[in-house]
Amino acid sequence: MNANFFGLLNVCRSLFPLVRSCGRIVNMASTTGYMVFRGQINDDVRNRFRQVKEEQDVADLMTEFLECCKTECNTERKRCEWSYGVGKLGVILLSRIQADRISQDDSKHGILLNSCCPGFVLTDMTSDLPDNNFGGIRVSTVEGADTPVFLALLPSKVTEPNGKFLLRRKEYDFVNTDVLMQI
Ligand SMILES: NC(=O)c1ccc[n+]([C@@H]2O[C@H](COP(=O)([O-])OP(=O)(O)OC[C@H]3O[C@@H](n4cnc5c(N)ncnc54)[C@H](OP(=O)(O)O)[C@@H]3O)[C@@H](O)[C@H]2O)c1
């Protein structure tokens, strides 16, 4: 949680002032955020995630999750115990808020900020998992880099996607729609 969510938040806060007009920001999230949102939290908590408006709202939910872990009340409160997925859900929601905020900054224009999942990619992080762990096919790092690089190289005249979550170059608004995702 510290590396994946709070680390990302802190780095963004430090680096955003340096991003120039038409800059591109790509936050690395994960489809596990979708898995948590759809399958591992109850309606109450899901609605609280839906209602976040400010960066701090997301950070507060992450902190609350950690507090629950400490007191081991996650199961009782039907929360997810999967900190990786919760942190990545936080990154997806945070990215939407950050994109909105940056577009309201009058001193810059044309910045696009999105989050994405690279797919199920063979890296150090996944090397001890079976190939079909998430029901999808594990891909090479070259294939995994496709969507992040696509987002980083969006041409300067393009205005979309912004604030979106993408997998294999496709947008998924799983927070507000019933769309299904397969990593
Ligand atoms: N692989 C997948 O299937 C997959 C799927 C969805 C999303 N992602 C996301 O893609 C991104 C890259 O993951 P990856 O698969 O390439 O993982 P990886 O091979 O394990 O690389 C993770 C990188 O993060 C660095 N790191 C880990 N903890 C850190 C910390 N506390 N502070 C600073 N750096 C830290 C590691 O540095 P060191 O090498 O120095 O340890 C390493 O360079 C991650 O955000 C991951 O969540 C990956």
Side-chain angles (χ1 to χ4, degrees):
M1 184 66 84
N2 272 339
N4 287 330
F5 181 81
F6 290 102
L8 179 140
L9 178 62
N10 290 336
V11 167
C12 286
R13 283 179 175 163
S14 300
L15 295 186
F16 279 1
L18 304 179
V19 179
R20 289 177 290 186
S21 289
C22 295
R24 304 291 180 247
I25 302 164
V26 185
N27 286 339
M28 291 306 293
S30 165
T31 307
T32 53
Y34 157 84
M35 293 171 187
V36 164
F37 188 79
R38 277 293 157 81
Q40 301 191 16
I41 51 180
N42 65 25
D43 283 345
D44 240 20
V45 180
R46 203 172 290 121
N47 279 332
R48 291 183 59 202
F49 274 106
R50 277 200 185 104
Q51 283 159 13
V52 291
K53 300 245 174 326
E54 305 289 336
E55 280 186 13
Q56 197 55 46
D57 298 337
V58 189
D60 288 347
L61 277 168
M62 299 296 114
T63 306
E64 193 180 322
F65 168 78
L66 289 178
E67 288 306 314
C68 282
C69 291
K70 279 189 210 154
T71 54
E72 296 180 89
C73 68
N74 275 11
T75 314
E76 197 185 310
R77 293 175 66 170
K78 296 199 175 72
R79 295 252 174 140
C80 165
E81 291 182 346
W82 194 7
S83 60
Y84 179 83
V86 175
K88 293 299 188 181
L89 174 58
V91 170
I92 293 165
L93 295 168
L94 178 74
S95 301
R96 197 178 63 191
I97 294 166
Q98 290 174 324
D100 273 357
R101 211 192 63 193
I102 290 183
S103 8
Q104 286 160 20
D105 180 345
D106 292 337
S107 66
K108 296 171 183 185
H109 62 88
I111 294 176
L112 297 178
L113 183 157
N114 293 284
S115 64
C116 71
C117 175
F120 183 31
V121 187
L122 181 56
T123 62
D124 286 353
M125 190 180 82
T126 61
S127 57
D128 58 347
L129 295 175
D131 262 341
N132 59 354
N133 198 57
F134 295 105
I137 301 162
R138 182 153 42 186
V139 299
S140 70
T141 48
V142 172
E143 289 169 274
D146 179 73
T147 300
V149 172
F150 162 73
L151 290 171
L153 298 181
L154 287 169
S156 57
K157 291 206 172 100
V158 163
T159 55
E160 284 286 334
N162 191 29
K164 303 294 193 309
F165 171 61
L166 287 86
L167 169 69
R168 288 187 285 274
R169 298 195 186 197
K170 187 171 176 242
E171 295 170 23
Y172 288 91
D173 182 6
F174 64 82
V175 174
N176 298 303
T177 72
D178 287 337
V179 66
L180 295 177
M181 292 188 75
Q182 175 59 59
I183 195 167

